[in-house]
Amino acid sequence: LQNEALAKALCVMNRLLIVDPDNAPDWRDRALLYEKLECARAAQDDLETYLRLALDADDTAAMRERLAKLRQRVSRLN
C-alpha cells in the first residue's frame, strides 16, 4: 500500500479473506482499499460486513460515518 500497488494489495486482501472470512479488520482494510480504487459499491459491501463482525471495535462510529458517505455516493451512481 505504501507504494500504491493497489491492485496487488487487493489480491492479497482477497486471499486473506478466503483464508479467514471472519477477520473483521481484513474486511475493513479491503473496504478502504476499494474506496481508494473508487469502487464505492464494493467498499460499501465490505464495510457493512465489517460492522456486522466488529460490533465492539474502537472505530465503529467512524466506519458507520464512512459507510453513510459511501451509501450516498452509491445512490448517486444509480
Side-chain angles (χ1 to χ4, degrees):
L1 287 173
Q2 292 174 349
N3 296 329
E4 294 296 317
L6 301 180
K8 288 181 182 180
L10 182 58
C11 288
V12 171
M13 294 307 304
N14 290 337
R15 289 183 183 132
L16 288 171
L17 286 167
I18 289 169
V19 172
D20 188 3
D22 295 326
N23 187 318
D26 285 347
W27 286 101
R28 180 202 55 219
D29 293 348
R30 190 173 76 170
L32 299 176
L33 181 56
Y34 273 133
E35 197 173 8
K36 281 187 174 187
L37 291 166
E38 299 182 15
C39 299
R41 169 62 80 181
Q44 175 186 326
D45 292 345
D46 280 5
L47 268 185
E48 289 170 350
T49 301
Y50 169 71
L51 290 168
R52 275 195 307 272
L53 293 171
L55 299 174
D56 297 327
D58 293 338
D59 64 350
T60 299
M63 290 300 118
R64 286 191 190 285
E65 288 178 31
R66 194 173 211 131
L67 179 58
K69 291 177 185 175
L70 282 167
R71 285 180 175 152
Q72 289 175 348
R73 198 175 326 157
V74 168
S75 71
R76 285 188 295 239
L77 295 174
N78 294 330

